[in-house]
Amino acid sequence: MDSTIEILKNELGQAVLDSGKMIGTAMIISLIIGGALGLILYLTSSNLFFKNKLLNSIAGFIINVIRSLPFVILLVLLLPLTKIIVGTNIGPEAATVPITIAAIAFFARLSEGAFSEVDKGVIEAAISSGASLYLILFDVLIVEAFPSLIRAITVNLVSLIGYSAMAGIVGGGGIGDLAIRYGYYRYETGVMIVTVLILLILVQAIQLIGDALATKLSRR
């Protein structure tokens, strides 16, 4: 018990900080790039906008390839790219690269689904009124899809927590790394229990907040 408390006292703060950096960086980049890709996938598949089967198929294929790979395998495959980008294969900075790439592909599909849920009648009405493309996209499409996008962001964030924990397998740092180094390799069961509880509470809190926010926006 004393050793568990000492380990947590010395290591937990930094582990939480490292996980926060990985998740925060990946979340921001995935929302921007993944959201843009999701919008492109939607626009190139819809007759109301710029249907382009070739572009849609190419983008969809690349995204599907990334999504089809288990995250642990993706971690290993991207080691050379990670080395080029951040100069190292270990630590939270290195783990952020594959986490971000996986999150981009995941959120691209989630956001595409959110845009696809928007009533076509609303978009057709905006087009018929002569609204500009900018207004249609930002004042109609994204506004109408916002509750679904909030749910997609929530799912993406929960997935990122899981990715960051798995990054500990290759020395990525963070809570997952702490659990593996002490809870698994050194048989410190107390450390494993505490890290699992932290992840459980964090995921539940994010899911509850995301669901509540999406429900509130849907009622407006």
Side-chain angles (χ1 to χ4, degrees):
M1 183 65 182
D2 290 339
S3 61
T4 296
I5 294 174
E6 192 66 25
I7 292 169
L8 293 174
K9 181 179 178 181
N10 295 331
E11 302 276 356
L12 184 59
Q14 186 61 48
V16 171
L17 183 61
D18 289 342
S19 288
K21 289 179 180 177
M22 288 187 285
I23 294 169
T25 302
M27 188 66 182
I28 293 171
I29 296 175
S30 66
L31 290 185
I32 296 172
I33 300 179
L37 285 174
L39 183 59
I40 290 172
L41 286 171
Y42 170 74
L43 295 177
T44 55
S45 67
S46 174
N47 291 323
L48 297 174
F49 293 101
F50 317 104
K51 189 168 185 178
N52 187 318
K53 189 173 181 180
L54 178 61
L55 179 60
N56 185 272
S57 297
I58 292 173
F61 176 77
I62 295 172
I63 290 170
N64 288 340
V65 167
I66 296 173
R67 290 187 62 210
S68 66
L69 296 173
F71 182 66
V72 174
I73 295 177
L74 187 65
L75 275 172
V76 177
L77 285 177
L78 292 178
L79 285 177
L81 178 62
T82 299
K83 180 74 171 180
I84 293 172
I85 293 175
V86 298
T88 180
N89 287 327
I90 59 174
E93 291 80 11
T96 300
V97 175
I99 290 173
T100 301
I101 291 175
I104 287 172
F106 186 58
F107 188 68
R109 282 302 186 191
L110 291 176
S111 58
E112 179 194 12
F115 294 131
S116 298
E117 291 177 5
V118 176
D119 187 354
K120 289 184 179 180
V122 176
I123 299 175
E124 289 173 347
I127 294 174
S128 299
S129 68
S132 65
L133 179 62
Y134 179 87
L135 289 176
I136 293 171
L137 293 181
F138 291 94
D139 288 358
V140 179
L141 181 63
I142 293 179
V143 170
E144 290 292 322
F146 203 61
S148 295
L149 286 172
I150 291 296
R151 292 188 179 93
I153 291 170
T154 302
V155 173
N156 190 45
L157 185 53
V158 170
S159 297
L160 281 173
I161 294 173
Y163 292 157
S164 68
M166 283 187 282
I169 295 173
V170 293
I175 296 175
D177 181 58
L178 180 66
I180 291 170
R181 281 191 295 118
Y182 291 100
Y184 181 71
Y185 290 123
R186 303 188 188 184
Y187 304 103
E188 290 286 349
T189 306
V191 175
M192 180 68 79
I193 292 173
V194 170
T195 53
V196 168
L197 286 175
I198 290 173
L199 293 173
L200 180 62
I201 293 170
L202 186 59
V203 168
Q204 291 297 324
I206 291 170
Q207 191 65 59
L208 287 172
I209 293 171
D211 289 344
L213 185 57
T215 300
K216 183 177 181 179
L217 290 171
S218 297
R219 292 173 179 171
R220 290 184 177 181

